[in-house]
Amino acid sequence: MTVKEQQRISRHTLMWLLITNIVILSPLYEQVTLWSLAICAICIFWRIGIYLGRVAKPPKWLVTTLAFSSAMTLAMVASKIGVLTAMVNLLILGYALKYIEMRNRRDVRAVVLAGYFLIAFTFIDQQSLLASLHLLAATMINTCVLISLYHDEGNFKYAARLGAKIILQSLPLAIILFLVLPRLPPLWMVPLQNGAQTGLSDRVSFGDIGKLTRSSALAFRATFNGNAPSNDKLYWRAIVLEDYNGRDWTQNPRIIEAQSALSTSLPTTALSRLVANSSTIDYQIIAEPSAQHWLFALDVATSQDLGIKHLADFSLYANRPIDQRRLYQVTSFNELMMDSQLSDSSKTTNLTLPSGSNPKTRALAQQFAINYPNNVQRLNAMMRYFAQQPYYYTLQPPSVGKQQIDDFLIENKAGFCVHYASAFAFMARVTGIPARLVTGYQGAEFNPSAGYYGIYQYMAHAWVEAWLPGKGWVRFDPTAMIAPERVEQGFDAFFDPESTYLMDNPFSALAYRDNALLNQMRMQFASVDYFWSVWVLGFNDQKQQRVLEEILGEVTRTKLTIFILISLCIIGLTIAYSAGLIQFHRSSDKHLNAYYSVCKLLRQRGLGRAHHEGPLDYNKRVAAAFPDIAEDFDNLTQYFITIKYQNLSKRRHRRFSRLLIKQSRWLKINIIKQRLALNKTNT
């Protein structure tokens, strides 16, 4: 066989490359720009044409030009799409372009190596159960490409079986390392992407929350240690908005500026009251990726997890944006007062209104101030006003003009949570009561299979916190006056899913809630994904210590070392047995065992010896299928026949016995070393 023939890429390998190219690139669709996706599609269709013999390989100058142009384009748009996204697109384009200009096995190995890099990056970005299974399959298929380089062109099934076997054999070692390796902090930080954000924002206008009600995406999950609060108590605070310009509510700059010097504990005003007998609720949150810093908690909350800070407005804040699932522990204090004393600057901020805005609402608020001099009575009267007047709760309110609150409160009288919360906070400020808007989520869906509460994007909500002397910040939710079932029973009790979060997501799993069987299946799968998040993605030092204590008792360095060595020995023996290097069920005839051990390896290569087949006939088939070992196997066969079927003196018997055993060991080692190159000539 010439060197050129040896370097030829078989159709078997090309077929595996077509599969692995699609499998590896498919989960990266969110990171790929539109024109990068177009180039990848062209490369795939071009390679299909090459595979079918319809088109020729592209000239090198064309591939080089495309690569150079792509790199220059990515350099120019890197500031807009983000450095990480640009780097990923560059790797994807290199992977795709190399894919169509492959000419020999070295090029295939380069493509496979780039494929492993893309799989590793995807796993950093996507760690859900489905994504992990997808990437495990992608790793196996990428490995099959390497196997196909050195195997029979038509033996597609064998390459798939061997690739799966290699991956499965690596899993026990991966599990052992996962259990025993210390949970070290990351050695580097992945650059942030400039991708689209999901969920709540630190700027809210009249229509923003309404957009989230059209999303069925999961926002986070909560698991309580003990009894959970009722649905009407599940107000998940996320962002506090104190500035209002007549159009948008935004976070105050003093909070943003203070984020660089955040405290890892509750504000000092709250710590002074922790000694009181405040009832607490302990729970854990698994937040979905949002590309934002905001975390979720009930009422006044604290978390001792690393990388979580507490803002002065009693909200939780992550040091880095949540770019992958984040598990953290939370303790909430139901009766803890928020800011028993209000600073002058904070009071001014939460009383400020744009001059001349919404005159009709101002007049209404001043009438409340005259009729109800007491702050508490006034706020309660404002709440009753929404129930007494013909207000309507809808996710599709009429449009408003420049005087937004006037148009809503006096004219339209139709809106959703942001409308009512904005109007209430505005009126409170007019009458001299500090008030601010809070956005987060209200309610939850309980999953009885796993015992957690799922909170979805369509549950996004806005309410008001007003400051009262001796009570601090107190929650007021005008929505509860207009649509009490929305708060007490949840979003689905008031709105039709088909006209809200299922309108843009008709194939969402939430669409099958009314079908008992399908809903049960949805819950079961969500439970599996939840336990994956808790025990794999959330496997921290405490859980690692707990698992090791269940296995070893008291965890010591000696016990841990012995556990690792025993595990490695078991794994090594299993792999050696599957490769035919050792056998546990052996005949008493060592010569027969030596000969059959080689035959077993060849059977694993797709050339098994039939029960009725004699050694000479089998020897001929081996010589035809595997010429590289034909001479060695012929020697083994002759030694075996000589010992089994000839009368030998003791001296000659010992001599041929040594030769047979030695030849058997040599052949097994040779087959193991060359096992990826043997079937090439089996045509």
Side-chain angles (χ1 to χ4, degrees):
M1 183 182 297
T2 65
V3 175
K4 185 176 182 179
E5 289 175 335
Q6 290 178 348
Q7 292 299 317
R8 182 175 61 87
I9 305 174
S10 67
R11 288 178 60 80
H12 185 204
T13 300
L14 291 176
M15 174 57 73
W16 277 112
L17 280 168
L18 286 173
I19 298 173
T20 191
N21 194 268
I22 296 173
V23 172
I24 289 176
L25 293 180
S26 57
L28 292 169
Y29 66 93
E30 291 184 350
Q31 283 78 28
V32 181
T33 61
L34 186 60
W35 54 273
S36 296
L37 183 62
I39 293 177
C40 290
I42 291 172
C43 292
I44 291 175
F45 283 113
W46 199 322
R47 176 50 69 178
I48 292 175
I50 296 173
Y51 178 80
L52 297 175
R54 302 294 179 83
V55 297
K57 292 183 176 67
K60 284 190 175 181
W61 65 266
L62 177 60
V63 177
T64 303
T65 302
L66 282 173
F68 182 77
S69 302
S70 301
M72 293 297 294
T73 305
L74 284 173
M76 289 187 291
V77 301
S79 60
K80 295 182 179 180
I81 65 176
V83 176
L84 180 60
T85 302
M87 293 168 60
V88 173
N89 274 266
L90 185 62
L91 181 58
I92 290 173
L93 287 171
Y95 179 73
L97 292 173
K98 188 66 177 178
Y99 178 61
I100 62 171
E101 67 99 25
M102 293 183 304
R103 285 170 169 79
N104 52 50
R105 293 185 180 182
R106 184 184 63 181
D107 294 334
V108 175
R109 289 192 289 267
V111 170
V112 171
L113 183 61
Y116 283 127
F117 273 105
L118 287 172
I119 292 171
F121 167 77
T122 308
F123 188 73
I124 293 175
D125 186 56
Q126 303 177 27
Q127 299 178 350
S128 66
L129 178 60
L130 278 180
S132 299
L133 292 175
H134 180 110
L135 294 175
L136 186 65
T139 304
M140 186 203 75
I141 296 173
N142 206 42
T143 304
C144 289
V145 177
L146 281 179
I147 295 172
S148 67
L149 274 180
Y150 306 103
H151 280 72
D152 186 296
E153 294 181 8
N155 203 346
F156 190 87
K157 183 179 178 181
Y158 177 78
R161 186 171 63 250
L162 182 57
K165 185 177 180 180
I166 291 173
I167 296 300
L168 290 176
Q169 286 177 344
S170 68
L171 288 181
L173 180 60
I175 294 173
I176 295 299
L177 295 177
F178 179 78
L179 288 176
V180 302
L181 286 181
R183 323 321 288 176
L184 298 175
L187 301 178
W188 66 86
M189 289 295 186
V190 177
L192 300 180
Q193 301 184 57
N194 288 357
Q197 296 181 343
T198 59
L200 302 170
S201 170
D202 57 358
R203 177 179 295 271
V204 173
S205 61
F206 265 17
D208 289 343
I209 298 292
K211 296 175 183 177
L212 287 179
T213 61
R214 297 173 68 94
S215 173
S216 62
L218 182 67
F220 61 96
R221 287 176 283 200
T223 306
F224 291 90
N225 300 337
N227 295 327
S230 58
N231 196 84
D232 61 320
K233 299 293 193 300
L234 295 177
Y235 280 84
W236 305 95
R237 298 174 86 249
I239 312 172
V240 177
L241 308 172
E242 299 179 306
D243 287 354
Y244 180 63
N245 61 8
R247 184 181 64 258
D248 303 318
W249 288 89
T250 57
Q251 191 180 42
N252 188 268
R254 65 182 173 82
I255 298 294
I256 299 175
E257 293 169 359
Q259 287 175 1
S260 59
L262 296 175
S263 172
T264 56
S265 60
L266 284 170
T268 55
T269 54
L271 284 175
S272 62
R273 299 183 58 85
L274 279 178
V275 294
N277 294 325
S278 298
S279 60
T280 62
I281 303 176
D282 295 321
Y283 51 100
Q284 70 176 12
I285 300 287
I286 302 177
E288 294 295 305
S290 63
Q292 298 176 339
H293 294 270
W294 321 117
L295 297 175
F296 317 101
L298 299 171
D299 301 311
V300 180
T302 180
S303 176
Q304 302 302 318
D305 288 24
L306 296 176
I308 296 180
K309 305 294 185 180
H310 300 76
L311 298 184
D313 57 18
F314 295 87
S315 58
L316 299 181
Y317 182 88
N319 287 351
R320 282 181 54 81
I322 311 302
D323 49 13
Q324 53 186 251
R325 283 182 179 174
R326 172 72 184 270
L327 186 149
Y328 57 98
Q329 303 292 329
V330 188
T331 298
S332 288
F333 303 87
N334 291 335
E335 302 172 6
L336 191 63
M337 186 186 303
M338 288 191 284
D339 285 341
S340 58
Q341 300 295 326
L342 199 62
S343 66
D344 292 339
S345 61
S346 181
K347 186 174 183 179
T348 300
T349 297
N350 290 281
L351 286 174
T352 301
L353 291 171
S355 60
S357 65
N358 303 294
K360 296 179 181 180
T361 303
R362 287 177 183 269
L364 177 62
Q366 289 167 358
Q367 189 63 43
F368 276 110
I370 294 172
N371 296 337
Y372 303 94
N374 180 272
N375 288 351
V376 176
Q377 293 178 353
R378 186 187 315 147
L379 292 173
N380 290 333
M382 291 178 183
M383 291 283 285
R384 291 195 301 271
Y385 177 80
F386 288 107
Q388 295 167 354
Q389 297 297 316
Y391 285 100
Y392 180 62
Y393 194 63
T394 176
L395 296 176
Q396 297 178 332
S399 59
V400 295
K402 184 177 181 181
Q403 305 296 341
Q404 291 184 342
I405 296 180
D406 273 0
D407 290 347
F408 155 69
L409 192 65
I410 308 300
E411 305 296 335
N412 299 333
K413 296 188 177 182
F416 51 92
C417 57
V418 174
H419 295 74
Y420 292 101
S422 297
F424 186 88
F426 189 94
M427 289 194 295
R429 288 189 177 188
V430 170
T431 64
I433 301 176
R436 61 193 187 185
L437 213 67
V438 181
T439 59
Y441 298 86
Q442 199 284 319
E445 179 195 51
F446 182 64
N447 185 326
S449 299
Y452 73 84
Y453 288 80
I455 295 85
Y456 299 87
Q457 293 294 351
Y458 70 82
M459 296 178 180
H461 195 52
W463 59 93
V464 176
E465 288 180 349
W467 189 84
L468 297 170
K471 294 186 177 181
W473 292 104
V474 180
R475 181 176 65 238
F476 290 88
D477 186 4
T479 300
M481 307 302 294
I482 310 301
E485 58 267 47
R486 159 67 179 88
V487 174
E488 295 173 1
Q489 302 176 38
F491 185 93
D492 292 288
F494 193 85
F495 291 108
D496 180 22
E498 281 73 19
S499 62
T500 53
Y501 57 85
L502 293 182
M503 181 180 295
D504 297 335
N505 309 277
F507 300 107
S508 170
L510 296 175
Y512 306 106
R513 280 176 168 172
D514 295 334
N515 186 301
L517 178 60
L518 294 179
N519 189 57
Q520 180 66 20
M521 293 175 60
R522 177 181 72 89
M523 288 293 189
Q524 291 292 344
F525 180 79
S527 300
V528 173
D529 185 67
Y530 168 76
F531 288 122
W532 168 266
S533 299
V534 171
W535 287 103
V536 178
L537 304 185
F539 195 74
N540 53 23
D541 294 331
Q542 293 77 17
K543 289 184 178 178
Q544 182 187 43
Q545 183 70 18
R546 194 159 58 244
V547 170
L548 290 176
E549 286 177 353
E550 292 178 358
I551 298 174
L552 304 176
E554 182 183 358
V555 181
T556 63
R557 186 172 299 179
T558 302
K559 286 185 177 181
L560 196 59
T561 302
I562 295 174
F563 173 70
I564 295 173
L565 291 176
I566 292 176
S567 301
L568 292 178
C569 288
I570 294 174
I571 294 171
L573 287 173
T574 303
I575 295 175
Y577 176 76
S578 64
L581 295 178
I582 58 174
Q583 294 182 355
F584 297 109
H585 303 286
R586 299 175 63 88
S587 167
S588 58
D589 190 335
K590 63 179 181 179
H591 307 117
L592 194 63
N593 289 330
Y595 176 75
Y596 281 165
S597 64
V598 177
C599 295
K600 180 182 178 181
L601 282 179
L602 294 177
R603 183 177 70 250
Q604 294 174 356
R605 307 294 300 149
L607 192 70
R609 178 173 176 264
H611 294 292
H612 64 275
E613 191 173 22
L616 291 176
D617 292 334
Y618 185 54
N619 183 40
K620 292 178 182 179
R621 286 206 299 131
V622 171
F626 306 113
D628 291 343
I629 63 167
E631 183 178 351
D632 291 331
F633 191 79
D634 181 69
N635 291 335
L636 178 71
T637 303
Q638 296 303 325
Y639 298 151
F640 177 71
I641 292 174
T642 300
I643 290 178
K644 295 298 291 181
Y645 302 108
Q646 293 185 19
N647 292 323
L648 302 174
S649 63
K650 291 184 178 180
R651 182 178 179 182
R652 293 194 66 196
H653 189 279
R654 285 195 299 269
R655 176 173 174 270
F656 279 100
S657 176
R658 287 194 300 268
L659 289 173
L660 175 63
I661 300 299
K662 183 178 180 180
Q663 190 68 18
S664 171
R665 292 173 179 172
W666 167 252
L667 259 175
K668 286 190 289 185
I669 294 173
N670 197 25
I671 292 173
I672 295 297
K673 288 183 177 180
Q674 300 184 37
R675 64 186 308 171
L676 296 180
L678 291 177
N679 278 359
K680 184 60 186 174
T681 57
N682 186 14
T683 57

